[in-house]
Amino acid sequence: MAKLSLRAVQKLTCKKRDAWWTVILVDPVATRVLIRIARFGFITPNGVTWSALFVGLGSAGFFLRGDAQSLIIGAALYHVSFILDCIDGKLARLKGNGTVFGGWLDYVFDRIRVLFCALALMGGQYLRTESAWYLIAALVVVFLDMLRYVDALQIYKMRMSMRTKIEKVKEAARLEAEQAQAAAPQEPKVVFMEDLLRENPGVEADILKQQAAGVVDLHAQFRDRFPWYTRLRQALLRSRVRPHLISGIEFQMFIFIVGPLIGQILWTTAVSAILLGLFELVIMYKFWLSTRDFTRVMEELAPAATPGGTVANHLRAGRHRRAADLDQAAAPDRGVGAIPVEQRFPAPEPYEDPGFQPYPEPQFDAGYHYGSPSDTISAGPSAPFIHPPRPHADVNWAEAEGPLR
């Protein structure tokens, strides 16, 4: 196999933005190790992920012993485990053999490694000192690590939901214009400012907004309130460092590497926890401002929509009876409530969440008589009666559903 170019491998496998600990202390080592192991076909990304887990568990074993020498060895092993954890993703990008299962495996093993190392590190110190503060520190580490990654996934999920809703409104407007054969120019494709900034890290947002049409900015309020953030972000991105300086990676590294090396585990854990908590509050605040930008964009795209916080008129008391009376007067031969109940009581809009999978709705009710046996359908002499669904017009819903409970 021909020798790989270090610069080419770095450009292909290293992320455009990453944690400063990874950029400075991991990537230079990980890419060089990657070049050496990439020539062996039996080394797979999932195999490297398993190796990272086993080395991490070995680190936890030394942490549990608790003496100074074991803490140093445990910190070194934890750093090696993290390097391997970065190599598996780089190897998958280099060879193009990454899998969805591999991504899940990497995430789950990271959480397992943090859990075992936190319990071992703090438990080992508790056995040596009998100080309950180490038990509290273990709970804090596990909780903050869980909070950091759960919050990140949920915010990402909500951002994707907001983007999907905006794209649907824009697409509906485009289809409406096509049906009406409007003479206005066609709506440009939705472009999000965060995507433009990710692809053009050195360009300011105002310039990108002028150059591209149809730009949707969901971080406008945050940049207006903190104009210095854009300059800091651009300065950091020149070195591939992301602005979130205290992320879950730095939190882990300080607790499991810096703390054991300097012999100040409790103080290092306390400072790291405070910094991570402050940065998480900033992220939540930024997300809140982003939701306000989303509301503003939706009002601009669909100004005729019903404002939030109001109740539809057809749901008010007596409206359903008046609607039934009007329907009876218009079509007396069709009976009371000829308008189907599904039209008079429309269901709310579905929750537009790409990851949401609702429970399947039943297609019919079995074993419950809405009317006489002549209204039922029998599949055979031993089969239960199957009743086709029918609208319940002007009946007490609690009484109708009571026997089902």
Side-chain angles (χ1 to χ4, degrees):
M1 181 177 180
K3 184 177 180 181
L4 298 176
S5 169
L6 177 61
R7 183 178 296 273
V9 171
Q10 289 176 337
K11 186 176 181 180
L12 177 63
T13 62
C14 294
K15 298 179 181 177
K16 293 183 177 181
R17 298 186 303 168
D18 213 332
W20 63 266
W21 184 281
T22 303
V23 172
I24 298 174
L25 300 175
V26 176
D27 279 347
V29 178
T31 50
R32 287 170 171 81
V33 174
L34 177 63
I35 291 177
R36 301 295 189 276
I37 68 175
R39 66 185 67 183
F40 302 106
F42 65 90
I43 299 180
T44 63
N46 287 352
V48 178
T49 304
W50 279 98
S51 300
L53 175 65
F54 291 142
V55 175
L57 295 180
S59 171
F62 281 96
F63 284 153
L64 187 60
R65 297 177 64 177
D67 58 276
Q69 183 178 0
S70 297
L71 291 178
I72 294 175
I73 297 175
L77 288 177
Y78 193 90
H79 189 60
V80 173
S81 173
F82 185 72
I83 291 176
L84 292 174
D85 185 45
C86 293
I87 289 176
D88 59 3
K90 296 179 186 297
L91 182 61
R93 287 189 289 272
L94 180 63
K95 292 189 174 183
N97 58 349
T99 62
V100 175
F101 178 77
W104 172 86
L105 198 70
D106 180 60
Y107 177 82
V108 172
F109 282 3
D110 285 348
R111 308 284 70 75
I112 293 176
R113 178 180 58 193
V114 171
L115 174 63
F116 275 82
C117 287
L119 296 178
L121 177 63
M122 304 305 172
Q125 296 304 303
Y126 171 76
L127 294 176
R128 290 176 61 88
T129 63
E130 295 185 356
S131 174
W133 286 107
Y134 288 102
L135 301 181
I136 298 175
L139 294 176
V140 170
V141 171
V142 174
F143 170 76
L144 288 178
D145 180 76
M146 174 198 69
L147 175 65
R148 167 71 191 103
Y149 285 92
V150 169
D151 185 48
L153 290 175
Q154 188 65 19
I155 289 179
Y156 174 78
K157 185 178 177 181
M158 293 297 102
R159 290 192 188 280
M160 292 299 102
S161 177
M162 291 190 295
R163 290 169 63 115
T164 301
K165 291 180 180 180
I166 293 174
E167 291 172 349
K168 285 187 176 181
V169 172
K170 296 280 284 187
E171 180 65 17
R174 185 187 66 81
L175 294 177
E176 184 178 355
E178 288 182 355
Q179 292 177 358
Q181 295 181 353
Q186 185 178 3
E187 287 285 337
K189 183 181 178 181
V190 182
V191 180
F192 292 94
M193 179 60 69
E194 55 187 318
D195 296 337
L196 293 177
L197 290 174
R198 188 180 299 109
E199 297 298 329
N200 307 275
V203 185
E204 295 183 0
D206 295 336
I207 298 177
L208 293 174
K209 189 175 295 185
Q210 295 174 2
Q211 294 178 350
V215 177
V216 176
D217 191 357
L218 296 181
H219 298 285
Q221 290 193 45
F222 185 82
R223 279 193 294 270
D224 291 341
R225 297 192 181 191
F226 306 97
W228 53 265
Y229 171 79
T230 302
R231 297 190 294 270
L232 174 64
R233 178 180 180 276
Q234 291 178 351
L236 291 175
L237 289 182
R238 295 189 187 100
S239 303
R240 297 196 303 112
V241 176
R242 61 189 181 190
H244 191 186
L245 299 178
I246 305 296
S247 64
I249 293 176
E250 287 81 12
F251 178 67
Q252 296 177 30
M253 300 304 116
F254 271 85
I255 292 175
F256 299 124
I257 296 179
V258 176
L261 290 179
I262 66 176
Q264 297 292 334
I265 296 175
L266 281 181
W267 279 106
T268 305
T269 301
V271 173
S272 302
I274 292 173
L275 291 177
L276 180 65
L278 291 176
F279 267 87
E280 285 302 304
L281 290 177
V282 171
I283 291 176
M284 294 176 187
Y285 176 70
K286 183 180 179 182
F287 176 67
W288 174 68
L289 292 179
S290 180
T291 59
R292 297 183 60 179
D293 285 322
F294 167 74
T295 303
R296 171 185 55 81
V297 171
M298 292 295 289
E299 290 176 352
E300 294 175 355
L301 295 177
T306 303
T310 61
V311 178
N313 291 329
H314 70 279
L315 296 177
R316 302 185 186 277
R319 293 299 179 102
H320 62 288
R321 294 186 177 88
R322 285 197 293 273
D325 294 341
L326 292 175
D327 180 48
Q328 171 67 10
D333 58 330
R334 296 171 59 187
V336 178
I339 299 178
V341 68
E342 292 82 0
Q343 297 182 14
R344 289 191 284 124
F345 297 94
E349 292 294 328
Y351 181 59
E352 297 177 355
D353 184 351
F356 177 70
Q357 296 292 335
Y359 291 104
E361 297 182 357
Q363 301 299 321
F364 51 79
D365 298 326
Y368 172 68
H369 295 273
Y370 287 99
S372 61
S374 60
D375 297 332
T376 63
I377 303 173
S378 178
S382 61
F385 287 116
I386 300 176
H387 308 273
R390 56 199 302 184
H392 300 266
D394 300 324
V395 299
N396 190 320
W397 290 92
E399 294 178 0
E401 296 183 356
L404 293 177
R405 298 191 180 99

